[in-house]
Amino acid sequence: MRRLKVLTWHTHGSYLYYLTQAPHEFYVLSKPGRPPGYGGRTTNMPWGDNVHDMPVSEARHHQFDCIIFQDDEQYEKDQYEFLSASQRALPRIYIEHDPPREHPTDTRHLVDTPEVLLVHVTPFNALMWDSGTTPSCVIEHGVKVPEGVHYRGQLDCGLVIINHLARRGRRLGADIFEAARADVPLELVGMGAQELGGLGEIEHARLPAFAANYRYLFNPIRYTSLGLAVIEAMMVGMPVVALATTEMATVIANGENGFLDTRLDTLIGHMRELGRNPALARALGALARRRACERFAIGRFCDDWDRALCHVTDLARAPFHGQLY
């Protein structure tokens, strides 16, 4: 089959990097100064040759096979500002990266039409959204880590990887992080981490090797999607300690490949145990890596996206068999 020309936005850099591992050509919208959401082909990722910078002023003059939206403003505003009427009639996909914010069970998704495929990134998110008349499926994350990166865990403290944790507050667990940090040693990295005494952002390509030095990953998030940083840590062989909420409850098997609970004092006890028991951390991490390789392999992810793209553009010989809700 020929390679499709896919137009999209730079909404989540890490996700876009993995999405572009699929065997198609991706054109990523950019604006002068590259503000958030319009970064195009930025210089901070090891993009492949199939990723192309697409200035918004030029988009309507190019031919594409499919449009992939990744947030509400792109769907409600950008497509009318930057795309022609014929481009807006192309096959369209909307990637929903999060569970509903307004109400956890009764929120109707913005996209409500049988003409768009709604792709959820976790089964939990798909379960919670009311997708209306929109056909939807789940394409779970897929990740890869640089060759030669392996868990070491020589630092007897935990690592938290969250962007802008201070400003994102309770939903992302800023209060839980600070409460836990008062009892166990924790280091915070990510954009804006300095606001809470953290180290700042670590370049995506360097993050797996950096994280591999820490004994465990702590995920204090109450309510959001399954973070790529969690899966990347597991893929390295790092044990995860997390709240038993959202999709995390199906990823971490408590006491087998990490620790999971809704009681912070219980999680703190597990973190203390991992801090003084590196052998336990290695054993849990090995099973975490096995789970990540089985469920979140980049090959499966790319195959799922290839089938979805071929399906919406009528190139597939067989119908797409994603999970429909």
Side-chain angles (χ1 to χ4, degrees), residues 34-48:
R34 303 188 183 274
Y38 305 93
R41 183 187 165 111
T42 53
T43 59
N44 64 341
M45 289 279 190
W47 305 109

Side-chain angles (χ1 to χ4, degrees), residues 102 129 202 273:
E102 185 177 330
W129 277 106
I202 306 297
E273 184 179 8

Side-chain angles (χ1 to χ4, degrees), residues 198-210:
L199 295 178
E201 184 179 8
I202 306 297
E203 184 179 337
H204 181 259
R206 295 177 46 239
L207 186 56
F210 175 87

Side-chain angles (χ1 to χ4, degrees), residues 241-258:
V241 179
L243 294 177
T245 59
T246 65
E247 195 65 37
M248 192 70 71
T250 73
V251 175
I252 304 301
N254 195 35
E256 294 182 19
N257 60 9

Side-chain angles (χ1 to χ4, degrees), residues 8-11 28-31 34-40 71 74 78:
T8 192
W9 284 253
H10 191 136
T11 302
V28 188
L29 287 170
S30 64
K31 285 183 177 181
R34 303 188 183 274
Y38 305 93
D71 73 23
Q74 298 162 9
D78 285 2

Side-chain angles (χ1 to χ4, degrees), residues 100-108 127-131 223:
R101 299 264 195 99
E102 185 177 330
H103 189 283
T105 62
D106 297 343
T107 302
R108 191 67 165 257
L127 176 69
M128 304 308 282
W129 277 106
D130 178 354
S131 299
Y223 186 73

Side-chain angles (χ1 to χ4, degrees), residues 260-279:
L260 204 64
D261 211 290
T262 54
R263 296 165 294 184
L264 180 57
D265 57 344
T266 299
L267 295 179
I268 288 174
H270 291 313
M271 286 188 273
R272 286 180 179 145
E273 184 179 8
L274 289 171
R276 61 176 176 258
N277 192 341

Side-chain angles (χ1 to χ4, degrees), residues 159-175:
L159 180 67
V160 176
I161 307 174
I162 301 175
N163 290 326
H164 300 299
L165 179 57
R167 73 176 69 166
R168 295 166 81 184
R170 280 180 53 84
R171 186 172 64 89
L172 274 289
D175 59 316

